Amino acid sequence: MKLLTKESKMYSILFNKCPKCHIGKFWATNNPLKNMLFNTRNSCKTCENCSLAYELEIGFWYGSMYVSYAISVAVMVMFWTLTSFFFPLINIFNEILIIVIAILIVSPLNYHISRLIWINFFIKYTPSDNY
């Protein structure tokens, strides 16, 4: 199976698609900044194509915090490595400042992607002939 075919979970995550049908949108817009600031998840909270309810149970989205934490740690390690490699004489406080700014800049994308990753852990792609 190829990485970005319609049947793959990566397709749903990268292209903002419903994890069940890969046709409907998960977020109302592809802009992560709008999704984070205005909570523009689909207003009916279901897929317009397959009618999948995105909130599987009460408190379902708390688990996406763990995915978000892992993404944040990866970003911090990446920026720490880059600043240590390219600027070896930089002050530790400036290095921490750069990492914090990077986390703040990436946070809308982190919010957007972490929820898509989390729901894709639990929902399997089903071809459209079943609905």
Side-chain angles (χ1 to χ4, degrees), residues 20 27 34 51-52 76 79 94-95 100 102 104 113 126 128:
K20 184 176 180 184
W27 294 97
K34 285 183 182 177
S51 301
L52 171 72
M76 285 189 269
F79 272 89
N94 291 337
E95 192 171 11
V100 168
L104 291 174
I113 294 291
T126 308
S128 62

Side-chain angles (χ1 to χ4, degrees), residues 2 8 22 27 29 34 40 49 53 77-79 89 93 95 103 120 125 129-130:
K2 293 183 182 176
S8 73
H22 290 193
W27 294 97
T29 176
K34 285 183 182 177
T40 59
N49 184 55
V77 168
M78 180 183 71
F79 272 89
L89 300 177
F93 297 111
E95 192 171 11
I103 288 296
N120 271 282
Y125 171 72
D129 58 343
N130 293 340

Side-chain angles (χ1 to χ4, degrees), residues 68-117:
S68 177
Y69 175 73
I71 293 170
S72 295
V73 168
V75 169
M76 285 189 269
V77 168
M78 180 183 71
F79 272 89
W80 174 74
T81 305
L82 289 174
T83 56
S84 295
F85 182 73
F86 289 111
F87 306 106
L89 300 177
I90 195 169
N91 186 349
I92 187 70
F93 297 111
N94 291 337
E95 192 171 11
I96 291 171
L97 182 66
I98 290 170
I99 292 170
V100 168
I101 290 171
I103 288 296
L104 291 174
I105 290 172
V106 174
S107 64
L109 183 63
N110 187 352
Y111 178 77
H112 182 87
I113 294 291
S114 65
R115 286 189 173 221
L116 278 163
I117 292 171

